[in-house]
Amino acid sequence: IFILLGLFVGIITGITGASGVLVMVPIFSTFFDVPLPVILGTSLLVDVIASASVSYAYARAKNLDIRGTVWILVGSLMGAQIGSFFVVSVSKAFIMLVLAVCMIFFGAKMWKNGSPKSENKKLEVPDKVSQYLQTPIGMLICGFVIGLTTGIFGAGGGLTVFIVLYAFLKFPIKKAVGTSSFVMLVTALSGVVGYFENDILDLKLGLIIGLSAAVGGALSSVFANRIREEILARV
């Protein structure tokens, strides 16, 4: 069951660049008797392993831009460490609510933007906001928020990074997915350190699901890099 779950998590990560927490938290919270902090810490470990495989695949396809996200990485590393210390004080219901709202809202937006009838291929943000967020200070702030979500919600920040790159920094969708996977790798690794130090991480479970996710992520990344961007957006 865990191997199949890992393959599914990897497929989701490879296609969307999103964190495995989107799959793992709902499933583990519903069907398994595992404390929420342990689920979140373990999902971060899965993100590290899976996103490493996905990032490599996107890098080979030249859809990864590390230089353009350095300041986001710096901010996210700081935020991830701070967020991991606050996870025990955040209720399970609140975390589930935030994840659900984000998945529904941005899922609907991406479906609309991937429609052949859609003239606007980006999520709409004011030009002034976009210009500010493209500065080093703006990227640091974005990165810090991404890091906090990494630590508190157990997500590697992939979905948040993707939205920042695609909507605010105007990255092409494939490059946004590939780059968000790499940023998720670094921020999730930082978050894992915090969870490991607080002894709220199931190492064995994380490795089983993570290695399976790496395989699923590598396969789905090849598919994602070969299809048209409009189709990828709807997927």
Side-chain angles (χ1 to χ4, degrees):
I1 291 175
F2 293 146
I3 291 174
L4 292 175
L5 175 60
L7 289 171
F8 183 62
V9 168
I11 290 171
I12 297 297
T13 301
I15 293 177
T16 67
S19 168
V21 71
L22 300 179
V23 178
M24 290 186 61
V25 168
I27 290 178
F28 273 89
S29 298
T30 305
F31 300 108
F32 297 91
D33 185 21
V34 181
L36 182 61
V38 176
I39 298 174
L40 299 179
T42 304
S43 71
L44 278 179
L45 178 58
V46 172
D47 281 344
V48 170
I49 301 173
S51 57
S53 172
V54 172
S55 297
Y56 176 73
Y58 275 88
R60 289 191 61 184
K62 298 182 179 180
N63 283 319
L64 194 154
D65 183 1
I66 299 176
R67 185 178 300 178
T69 55
V70 171
W71 290 110
I72 291 179
L73 279 170
V74 173
S76 65
L77 289 174
M78 294 187 293
Q81 288 299 312
I82 295 175
S84 64
F85 289 103
F86 288 100
V87 65
V88 293
S89 62
V90 179
S91 70
K92 174 180 176 180
F94 176 72
I95 289 178
M96 295 295 285
L97 176 63
V98 171
L99 289 176
V101 170
C102 290
M103 289 171 68
I104 293 171
F105 176 76
F106 291 111
K109 279 285 190 179
M110 288 303 298
W111 176 267
K112 180 180 178 182
N113 291 345
S115 171
K117 297 180 181 179
S118 176
E119 296 180 359
N120 179 25
K121 298 302 181 183
K122 301 291 182 184
L123 303 178
E124 296 180 1
V125 294
D127 290 337
K128 290 184 178 180
V129 175
S130 179
Q131 291 174 3
Y132 175 75
L133 292 177
Q134 292 181 43
T135 65
I137 295 178
M139 288 186 178
L140 273 174
I141 294 174
C142 288
F144 186 77
V145 173
I146 291 167
L148 284 178
T149 64
T150 298
I152 294 177
F153 299 113
L159 178 61
T160 312
V161 177
F162 171 79
I163 293 168
V164 169
L165 297 178
Y166 182 69
F168 301 158
L169 303 183
K170 313 302 181 184
F171 275 45
I173 185 172
K174 291 182 180 180
K175 186 164 288 188
V177 172
T179 307
S180 67
S181 298
F182 177 77
V183 175
M184 181 169 67
L185 166 63
V186 179
T187 55
L189 183 59
S190 176
V192 164
V193 173
Y195 276 85
F196 185 77
E197 290 177 347
N198 290 291
D199 197 26
I200 43 179
L201 173 70
D202 190 325
L203 184 60
K204 181 179 178 180
L205 184 62
L207 289 175
I208 293 174
I209 299 176
L211 292 174
S212 303
V215 175
L219 295 175
S220 62
S221 297
V222 174
F223 166 77
N225 277 294
R226 290 183 178 179
I227 64 176
R228 291 187 293 114
E229 293 203 346
E230 292 81 6
I231 298 176
L232 182 59
R234 303 201 82 173
V235 172

